Amino acid sequence: MVQAICVHEIGGPDVMRWEKIDVAEPGPGEVRIHQTAIGLNFIDTYFRSGLYPAPNGTPFSPGNEGAGIVQTVGEGVSHLKPGDRVAYVGPLGAYAQERLVPADRLVVIPDGIDDKTAAGMMLKGMTAQYLLRQTFRVGPETTLLFHAAAGGVGLIAGQWAAHLGATVIGTAGSDDKIALAQAHGYQHMINYRTENFVERVKEITGGKGCDVVYDSVGHDTCPGSLDCLKPRGLWVSFGQSSGPIRDFNLALLAQKGSLFATRPTLFNYIASREDLEATAGELFDVVLKGIVKIEVNQEYRLADAAQAHRDLEGRKTTGTTVLVP
């Protein structure tokens, strides 16, 4: 028996219980890992609250991201062995001391990256990779706006985009968060609590607008994000921390400049083993070279996951947060 956070009914942070569970021996194509660290992400709150339905209903353990040590491998697994340090994104069930993971979802953590860093960067870091390198190919000619710049994805994206030569604009809700983002690649920061971010983007860009807006906030930043774009610019909606966007009117895209819009998710970008290895490989490369620094700013005991969720939803956290079993 091992300990895990279990959700028996959807709701607020208090529905998460610290319980004993059984973990089976790995079946064909599976690996059992002892987890050393687990990444905390906003998507965890979506499953807990019921905004996203858990694939297999309740009870379930939240969490899509973690790192640990291979204990045993199932039949047909040849690229991993007991003792390997590994990290992963998906499927649900990360909030546990030990768990089974499909072998094709695991990547070996390279020397030079510790387990807490790996656990906290896989989902956020690979999200930054697909946003900047695949959804829109950011380069020296790019002007971009990134909402929630001081969040986990935002701090990674700011460093990476600045390295790619882009003009990087961000939003945040406090002076401390603005200073943090400025230390991580953002040349221009906007305090959305005291400034109109649409007007400030127009000022910063000389009225031209941005090539791409990355928006994980949702309700509170729509349709303002569209007004920050150049004609034929791209709005990338990849989250909804302030609530979902309802009844979106496609005609707005025409009215505001023949804009493009997309709602991507990491899991489609790493669905194949080849895509997973390429995406993780590029992330590991920029971290090992020091281009992107992953800073674990908060650490909670896994048993205290409810408090971690309260702080995350209360926007009290910055950057990367990990849960330690």
Side-chain angles (χ1 to χ4, degrees):
M1 302 284 283
V2 300
Q3 295 283 127
I5 293 288
C6 297
V7 174
H8 293 267
E9 58 182 350
I10 60 173
D14 291 341
V15 302
M16 295 189 293
R17 305 177 190 171
W18 183 234
E19 298 179 346
K20 290 184 177 181
I21 63 167
D22 287 315
V23 180
E25 288 304 306
E30 291 183 327
V31 173
R32 178 168 173 163
I33 64 171
H34 172 77
Q35 301 208 106
T36 50
I38 297 144
L40 177 73
N41 296 282
F42 227 100
I43 194 174
D44 302 352
T45 72
Y46 298 164
F47 284 109
R48 187 213 72 224
S49 70
L51 183 62
Y52 289 178
N56 298 314
T58 56
F60 68 90
S61 290
N64 292 97
E65 171 185 57
I69 300 168
V70 173
Q71 300 295 293
T72 53
V73 302
E75 181 182 351
V77 177
S78 59
H79 67 288
L80 296 169
K81 64 184 185 302
D84 283 345
R85 291 193 310 127
V86 292
Y88 65 90
V89 170
L92 271 185
Y95 285 21
Q97 292 174 328
E98 295 190 6
R99 68 168 303 192
L100 298 177
V101 182
D104 70 349
R105 296 294 87 194
L106 291 165
V107 294
V108 175
I109 303 170
D111 293 340
I113 297 177
D114 63 69
D115 289 11
K116 290 180 183 177
T117 300
M121 80 179 194
M122 294 300 293
L123 192 150
K124 291 176 280 290
M126 290 198 293
T127 295
Q129 194 279 344
Y130 86 72
L131 291 174
L132 301 177
R133 306 291 287 154
Q134 300 185 67
T135 304
F136 187 96
R137 191 80 173 178
V138 169
E141 304 302 317
T142 304
T143 298
L144 67 87
L145 172 66
F146 210 104
H147 289 299
V153 179
L155 292 182
I156 296 171
Q159 298 172 77
W160 206 331
H163 172 73
L164 295 170
T167 298
V168 192
I169 308 168
T171 67
S174 71
D175 290 341
D176 288 345
K177 289 185 176 182
I178 284 172
L180 182 63
Q182 287 173 329
H184 289 78
Y186 289 86
Q187 297 105 324
H188 307 278
M189 282 299 300
I190 302 165
N191 187 330
Y192 65 80
R193 296 188 188 278
T194 60
E195 301 175 282
N196 183 306
F197 72 83
V198 175
E199 293 178 359
R200 284 287 293 122
V201 166
K202 290 179 179 178
E203 290 175 8
I204 293 165
T205 63
K208 294 180 180 179
C210 298
D211 299 286
V212 57
V213 173
Y214 295 108
D215 188 345
S216 65
V217 177
H219 179 271
D220 290 354
T221 48
C222 182
S225 289
L226 302 179
D227 295 318
C228 296
L229 287 165
K230 296 177 179 177
R232 294 186 290 169
L234 175 63
W235 175 51
V236 184
S237 172
F238 69 101
Q240 48 196 32
S241 62
S242 69
I245 299 167
R246 301 191 185 279
D247 302 320
F248 182 77
N249 181 6
L250 278 175
L252 285 175
L253 301 178
Q255 295 167 12
K256 295 179 182 294
S258 297
L259 304 177
F260 294 86
T262 184
R263 182 60 170 88
T265 176
L266 172 63
F267 302 103
N268 293 131
Y269 280 84
I270 59 171
S272 73
R273 180 69 191 178
E274 180 181 9
D275 288 340
L276 171 62
E277 289 182 343
T279 303
E282 187 168 1
L283 172 62
F284 288 150
D285 183 61
V286 295
V287 171
L288 287 169
K289 289 178 178 176
I291 294 166
V292 170
K293 294 179 173 61
I294 308 294
E295 295 164 356
V296 178
N297 292 339
Q298 295 85 211
E299 184 177 317
Y300 299 81
R301 294 188 310 142
L302 179 56
D304 297 328
Q307 186 59 50
H309 276 222
R310 291 187 197 99
D311 291 347
L312 180 65
E313 291 177 301
R315 302 192 181 188
K316 296 179 181 178
T317 65
T318 60
T320 296
T321 303
V322 297
L323 307 173
V324 180

